[in-house]
């Protein structure tokens, strides 16, 4: 690339992905004697653990998304390129990028960090996606929010009470943290926020069904915490169906264990598949396609290429590291530091070691479970810890203040930040999946349509 920003007088470090791993890597390269180029297909970083709060109207998209340029604005050695990486030319040391107005732009690298994350996994049933959207980016979250809110509007406008049941049935497929958090947040939306806003229907009568093929919810947590979360969900009125795989999804709902559950709102929270980085590199991958990396996070045979986060796999104490934000952040930081040390001619770092800070999940209003290596707890205190940790990791201070205020307001009043259907064109029943998403919140902190 020859755009005036990137010249060949200094080594070039290309970081693909402005998610948790890519941003941590770029920040670790702040003072490195290098030109750093961060490439992302969007212009923003998304705080994915709070996507479910956008999908359930608590927060606005602008409260969990931050422009990558803004985050890196004080890093003079770093430039940002918006574009979709489609290939890596290993021989020429270039990534090939489809930019906004130019295709197949070649960007040279001396070092490459791939942090391209993961997307939804429909386990061979891509056709389900049309009826059961997943949650991976801001556009997904807004599409799910529209779908959930529109179900209430449709039910209110429906004169046949027999149809209210299917319109007010919400199905979550997959009982990992996202499914559980979504189920709890939809329950509070129905029973608290929307309770007195409709006249023909009673939102509190909505049916929320959480389905998983496993024998318990939140399989990555200990059995006692999983049981506590299950009990809490049932208290919120969520039906939990375990040991039952979803066999089919269509516009009428789902088929589970041969039985149909009618619903107009099915949400896919069942799993992720890594980005195609393994194919770009022609590298060894695990069965799901995650690139097998060495203990210094490089791709074997390529000391100049690092893969971090959800798109990589690395064994730690005999088990593969989980696809969570902390793994991506710690790996991104390590890769950035290692490259900097190499460029400065300093001694190498010890092999990467993951420091497990614990696991958390929220179940409805003011309740969370928390598991660390030394203790486990659940309830309001765990929720306070969850809130503190999530605020701390938001990308900008302004977001921390705004999200904190919104959470306090929602906790005290039940009102949510963005109960808006923003893509519904008058007279149209089509759902635009790629609608523009505002990056800076222009919606009021508390608003209720
Ligand atoms: C709904 C949801 C809830 C979650 N909740 C939690 C939680 O509570 N706690 C937790 O620890 N983890 C959670 N996770 C997982 C966590 O978000 C991921 O592990 C983490 O984001 C992985 O970081 P990453 O840098 O590998 O990828 P990401 O953060 O996904 O970043 C990937 C980036 O790469 C960009 N990109 C992808 N492909 C290309 C391409 N071809 N060209 C250019 N750019 C590209 C994307 O736009 C994105 O910005 C959750 C994930 C989701 C989806």
């Amino acid at each position: 690339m020859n755009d005036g920003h990137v010249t060949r007088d200094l080594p070039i470090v290309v970081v693909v992905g402005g998610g948790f791993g890519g941003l941590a890597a770029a920040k670790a390269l702040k003072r490195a004697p290098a030109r750093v180029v961060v490439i992302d297909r969007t212009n923003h970083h998304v705080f994915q653990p709070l996507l479910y709060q956008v999908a359930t109207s608590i927060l606005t998209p602008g409260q969990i998304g931050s422009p990558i340029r803004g985050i890196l604005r004080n890093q003079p050695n770093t430039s940002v390129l918006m574009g979709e990486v489609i290939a890596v030319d290993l021989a020429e040391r270039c990534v090939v990028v489809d930019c906004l107005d130019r295709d197949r732009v070649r960007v040279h690298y001396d070092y490459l960090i791939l942090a391209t994350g993961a997307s939804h996994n429909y386990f061979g049933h891509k056709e389900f996606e049309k009826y059961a959207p997943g949650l991976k980016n801001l556009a997904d979250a807004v599409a799910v929010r529209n779908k959930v809110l529109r179900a209430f509007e449709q039910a209110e406008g429906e004169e046949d009470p027999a149809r209210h049941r299917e319109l007010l049935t919400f199905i979550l497929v997959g009982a990992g943290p996202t499914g559980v958090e979504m189920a709890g947040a939809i329950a509070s939306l129905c029973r608290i926020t929307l309770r007195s806003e409709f006249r023909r229907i009673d939102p509190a009568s909505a049916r929320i069904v959480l389905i998983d093929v496993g024998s318990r919810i939140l399989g990555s947590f200990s059995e006692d915490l999983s049981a506590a979360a299950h009990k809490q969900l049932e208290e919120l009125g969520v039906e939990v169906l375990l040991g039952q795989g979803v066999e089919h999804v269509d516009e009428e709902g789902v088929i589970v264990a041969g039985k149909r559950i009618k619903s107009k709102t099915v949400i896919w929270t069942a799993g992720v598949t890594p980005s195609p980085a393994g194919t770009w590199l022609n590298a060894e991958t695990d069965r799901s396609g995650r690139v097998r990396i060495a203990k210094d996070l490089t791709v074997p045979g390529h000391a100049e290429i690092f893969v971090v986060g959800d798109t990589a796999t690395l064994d730690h104490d005999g088990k593969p590291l989980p696809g969570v934000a902390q793994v991506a952040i710690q790996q991104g930081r390590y890769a950035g530091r290692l490259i900097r040390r190499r460029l400065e001619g300093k001694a190498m770092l010890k092999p990467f070691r993951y420091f497990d800070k614990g696991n958390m999940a929220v179940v409805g209003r003011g309740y969370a479970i928390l598991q660390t290596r030394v203790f486990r707890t659940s309830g309001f205190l765990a929720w306070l810890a969850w809130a503190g940790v999530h605020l701390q990791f938001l990308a900008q201070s302004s977001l921390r203040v705004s999200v904190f205020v919104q959470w306090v307001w929602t906790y005290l009043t039940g009102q949510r930040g963005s109960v808006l259907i923003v893509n519904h064109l008058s007279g149209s029943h089509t759902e635009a999946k790629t609608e523009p998403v505002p990056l800076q919140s222009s919606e009021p902190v508390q608003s209720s349509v």
Side-chain angles (χ1 to χ4, degrees):
M1 190 172 78
N2 198 356
D3 62 0
H5 297 291
V6 179
T7 53
R8 297 300 314 275
D9 53 340
L10 283 172
I12 297 170
V13 184
V14 170
V15 180
V16 186
F20 285 108
L23 270 190
K27 287 180 182 170
L29 287 159
K30 184 173 181 178
R31 295 199 172 76
R35 297 279 176 185
V36 181
V37 184
V38 178
I39 305 175
D40 199 292
R41 56 157 74 115
T42 72
N43 78 335
H44 52 272
H45 167 78
V46 179
F47 193 86
Q48 291 176 11
L50 292 178
L51 273 173
Y52 85 93
Q53 296 214 349
V54 173
T56 54
S57 299
I58 296 170
L59 298 175
T60 67
Q63 286 173 307
I64 66 160
S66 311
I68 297 169
R69 279 180 200 289
I71 298 169
L72 299 174
R73 68 183 177 282
N74 294 325
Q75 238 175 268
N77 69 345
T78 305
S79 58
V80 178
L81 177 66
M82 184 171 162
E84 168 106 19
V85 169
I86 54 165
V88 177
D89 182 337
L90 294 170
E92 297 289 324
R93 295 199 173 181
C94 287
V95 291
V96 184
V97 193
D98 280 352
C99 295
L100 291 179
D101 58 351
R102 280 180 302 159
D103 280 350
R104 306 194 73 81
V105 174
R106 297 173 75 80
V107 182
H108 172 81
Y109 63 81
D110 295 294
Y111 286 97
L112 175 63
I113 301 175
L114 293 174
T116 37
S119 58
H120 317 299
N121 190 351
Y122 286 85
F123 305 105
H125 289 284
K126 191 79 178 138
E127 70 277 11
F128 293 172
E129 187 171 16
K130 185 172 168 200
Y131 309 105
L135 263 190
K136 196 62 197 160
N137 53 44
L138 288 179
D140 292 342
V142 175
V144 169
R145 183 181 81 186
N146 288 335
K147 202 171 165 72
V148 170
L149 295 177
R150 216 164 53 181
F152 289 102
E153 297 300 336
Q154 268 180 279
E156 179 76 350
E158 174 59 58
E159 292 185 5
D160 176 5
R163 287 207 65 228
H164 289 169
R165 191 70 177 149
E166 70 185 90
L167 284 166
L168 293 183
T169 295
F170 299 91
I171 296 179
L172 290 312
V173 184
T178 305
V180 167
E181 292 182 336
M182 278 289 291
I186 294 177
S188 314
L189 176 74
C190 301
R191 326 266 194 250
I192 301 170
T193 309
L194 302 179
R195 193 178 42 193
S196 54
E197 297 192 4
F198 291 84
R199 300 296 168 256
R200 182 177 276 157
I201 58 159
D202 175 13
S205 69
R207 183 179 178 204
I208 301 153
V209 187
L210 177 64
I211 306 171
D212 200 290
V213 72
S215 57
R216 62 186 178 94
I217 65 167
L218 298 170
S220 57
F221 287 81
S222 64
E223 286 192 19
D224 55 334
L225 286 181
S226 160
H230 191 141
K231 186 163 171 271
Q232 180 69 10
L233 277 180
E234 287 183 339
E235 278 170 22
L236 291 168
V238 176
E239 286 172 46
V240 183
L241 302 184
L242 293 174
Q244 304 180 21
V246 167
E247 292 152 14
H248 185 71
V249 186
D250 59 25
E251 59 193 344
E252 298 298 322
V254 300
I255 296 181
V256 188
K259 288 198 193 120
R260 179 168 285 283
I261 305 178
K262 285 192 161 198
S263 165
K264 290 290 174 204
T265 315
V266 182
I267 301 160
W268 194 261
T269 52
V272 293
T273 191
S275 81
T279 312
W280 300 336
L281 300 173
N282 198 17
E284 192 194 341
T285 61
D286 67 5
R287 273 176 42 202
S288 71
R290 298 192 299 166
V291 178
R292 287 195 192 282
I293 49 174
K295 292 210 178 316
D296 64 355
L297 313 186
T298 59
V299 177
H302 290 278
E304 76 288 5
I305 302 180
F306 297 73
V307 184
V308 301
D310 280 4
T311 214
T313 184
L314 179 68
D315 281 356
H316 194 262
D317 298 336
K319 281 194 298 195
L321 285 170
V324 295
Q326 268 305 319
V327 170
I329 291 169
Q330 292 179 30
Q331 289 187 335
R333 195 179 294 141
Y334 178 95
R337 281 186 189 153
L338 188 62
I339 292 172
R340 182 175 164 189
R341 291 182 82 84
R342 281 198 203 163
L343 292 173
E344 290 173 345
K346 291 188 179 158
M348 286 299 101
L349 295 172
K350 287 184 189 157
F352 173 78
R353 277 211 59 85
Y354 174 57
F355 179 68
D356 186 355
K357 295 183 178 172
N359 232 341
M360 290 184 263
V362 167
V363 193
R365 189 173 172 226
Y367 185 98
I369 58 173
L370 163 61
Q371 174 173 313
T372 72
R373 282 179 303 175
V374 282
F375 74 100
R376 304 195 285 262
T377 184
S378 58
F380 186 67
L381 280 182
W383 181 77
L384 282 182
W386 171 90
V389 168
H390 282 68
L391 286 175
Q392 182 198 342
F393 281 101
L394 279 166
Q396 289 172 308
S397 324
S398 58
L399 300 186
R400 282 175 216 131
V401 176
S402 138
V403 169
F404 175 73
V405 171
Q406 181 61 58
W407 282 349
V408 172
W409 186 259
T410 300
Y411 186 79
L412 294 177
T413 68
Q415 288 182 25
R416 302 195 171 198
S418 186
V419 190
L420 308 174
I421 301 171
V422 293
N423 72 334
H424 189 79
L425 304 175
S426 180
S428 160
H429 294 277
T430 53
E431 179 126 325
K433 189 124 196 288
T434 54
E435 65 206 21
V437 174
L439 270 179
Q440 292 303 337
S441 171
S442 54
E443 292 160 331
V445 167
Q446 89 264 4
S447 75
S448 195
V449 176

